[in-house]
Amino acid sequence: MPWFGLGVYKAENGDEVVQAVQTALRVGYRLIDTASFYGNEEGVGKAIRDSGIPREEVFVTTKVWNDDQGYESTLKAFEESREKLGFDQIDLYLIHWPVRDKYLETWKALEKLYHDGKVRAIGVSNFQIHHLKELMKHSETRPAVNQVEFHPRLTQKELLEFCNEHQIRLQAWSPLMRGEILDHETIQEIAKKHGKSPAQIILRWDLQNGVSTIPKSVREERIKSNADLFDFKLSPDDMKKIDSLNQDRRIGPNPDDF
C-alpha cells in the first residue's frame, strides 16, 4: 500500500470524483480511498479504468458501511462495491466503524473474502485499542490497516504504538482537520522555515510518524500541492512542536459513541 493517497469522501459521483481521481493519478498518486457510504465507487472505478494506468499499479480501498454489517450482508455488500468499481479484486477492504455486536461477524466475512482471493488485504477503520484486542482474540487474520481520525489535535499516541506493536498500519483520515489547524501559528512557523505550505507540513508529520495519509480534495492545485512532500524532512524539534498541539480533540464521531 502506498504511504500517500487521495480520499474521496464527499466528492460527488460523476464528473467531480472522476476528475479528482484522474488528476491525482496524473500527478503520481497510486492510492485511492473510497467507501460504499461515499456513493462514488462507480466514478472512482471509471476514473481508474480511463486513466490508462494499469489496474495493478493503483491501490484501491473501499469499506463496508454499518447498515450492511454482519456475515452474509457484508459478503453481499462487497459484491455490490466490486460491481460498482468494476474490478475483479479490491486491494483493501475495511470495516468502516466498529458496530457493536456486529463487527466480529463482519470480520469473519472479510476473512473469507481474503482467503477466497477477492481482496488483497483486509482491515478496519475507527477501531480503538479495545476493539482491536477483541477482534484479534476471535480471529485468525490480523487487520493490515486501521484507518482513524489523526491530526495534530488528535495524535492518538497509544493507539499508534499499539498498532505498530502488532504490525497494523495506522492510516489518517481528515489529516488536515478540515483546514481548522492550518492557521495555527506553530504550523505556520514551521511551514515558513521549510518554504512549504501548512498542509504539506502536517502531511509530512503524518509520514514521519509512520502513518499513511489520505487527504481529500477535488481541487487540482490542492491535489498537486498535497503530494509535494518528499523533498524535505521535519526535524525532531519540528515533530515535537507539532505533537505538543494535541488536545485529544475529535472533529468526527467518537467510535465508542457512534
Side-chain angles (χ1 to χ4, degrees):
M1 181 180 75
W3 280 94
F4 181 82
L6 178 73
V8 296
Y9 178 51
K10 291 192 174 177
E12 286 188 21
N13 198 36
D15 288 346
E16 185 172 73
V17 76
V18 167
Q19 288 173 14
V21 171
Q22 289 191 336
T23 295
L25 294 174
R26 190 168 63 249
V27 301
Y29 287 64
R30 290 299 180 266
L31 164 60
I32 308 296
D33 179 274
T34 184
S36 62
F37 180 70
Y38 302 170
N40 55 23
E41 289 169 311
E42 293 108 325
V44 168
K46 175 177 169 49
I48 293 169
R49 283 192 303 277
D50 292 352
S51 69
I53 296 167
R55 167 68 187 95
E56 62 272 15
E57 292 183 17
V58 184
F59 192 99
V60 180
T61 302
T62 192
K63 313 174 192 79
V64 57
W65 183 240
N66 304 344
D67 295 343
D68 294 320
Q69 287 200 39
Y71 186 80
E72 293 295 343
S73 50
T74 293
L75 294 177
K76 182 173 181 289
F78 173 79
E79 290 301 334
E80 289 173 359
S81 286
R82 187 166 69 155
E83 188 176 320
K84 287 176 181 175
L85 285 161
F87 302 140
D88 292 333
Q89 187 184 53
I90 305 301
D91 299 289
L92 177 63
Y93 198 47
L94 304 180
I95 299 177
H96 209 144
W97 289 87
V99 176
R100 193 175 301 146
D101 301 327
K102 282 193 173 183
Y103 69 81
L104 292 178
E105 284 301 306
T106 303
W107 187 252
K108 285 186 172 66
L110 265 64
E111 286 184 314
K112 175 173 171 53
L113 294 168
Y114 176 66
H115 291 311
D116 289 349
K118 293 183 177 181
V119 295
R120 292 176 59 201
I122 53 176
V124 296
S125 183
N126 301 301
F127 274 47
Q128 310 270 54
I129 290 173
H130 68 91
H131 297 123
L132 292 168
K133 285 181 174 177
E134 182 72 6
L135 185 71
M136 291 190 290
K137 190 166 73 178
H138 293 95
S139 64
E140 57 186 55
T141 311
R142 183 177 56 235
V145 170
N146 184 19
Q147 185 186 113
V148 299
E149 182 179 346
F150 182 91
H151 47 68
R153 291 298 196 198
L154 185 69
T155 58
Q156 306 226 53
K157 290 295 185 183
E158 286 185 21
L159 179 60
L160 177 56
E161 287 173 14
F162 180 89
C163 288
N164 286 341
E165 183 184 334
H166 291 88
Q167 292 82 51
I168 300 168
R169 175 66 62 208
L170 205 68
Q171 187 174 64
W173 65 257
S174 200
L176 303 178
M177 206 181 175
R178 297 175 188 160
E180 190 177 317
I181 194 72
L182 298 180
D183 292 332
H184 193 282
E185 60 184 13
T186 297
I187 302 295
Q188 293 272 346
E189 172 193 308
I190 296 170
K192 186 176 180 182
K193 168 185 160 185
H194 288 278
K196 289 289 182 177
S197 72
Q200 289 164 341
I201 294 301
I202 294 168
L203 296 172
R204 182 71 204 182
W205 171 79
D206 286 348
L207 299 183
Q208 288 184 217
N209 271 309
V211 175
S212 169
T213 189
I214 46 169
K216 65 184 181 68
S217 182
V218 296
R219 293 168 51 192
E220 182 171 352
E221 66 274 16
R222 186 66 54 78
I223 290 170
K224 288 179 180 176
S225 174
N226 284 347
D228 189 16
L229 306 175
F230 301 99
D231 60 350
F232 76 106
K233 188 174 182 181
L234 298 174
S235 70
D237 187 54
D238 294 332
M239 295 291 289
K240 197 178 295 184
K241 284 180 179 177
I242 298 171
D243 287 347
S244 73
L245 302 180
N246 180 57
Q247 297 176 336
D248 293 329
R249 183 158 75 83
R250 297 179 181 276
I251 54 171
N254 187 317
D256 286 327
D257 301 328
F258 188 58

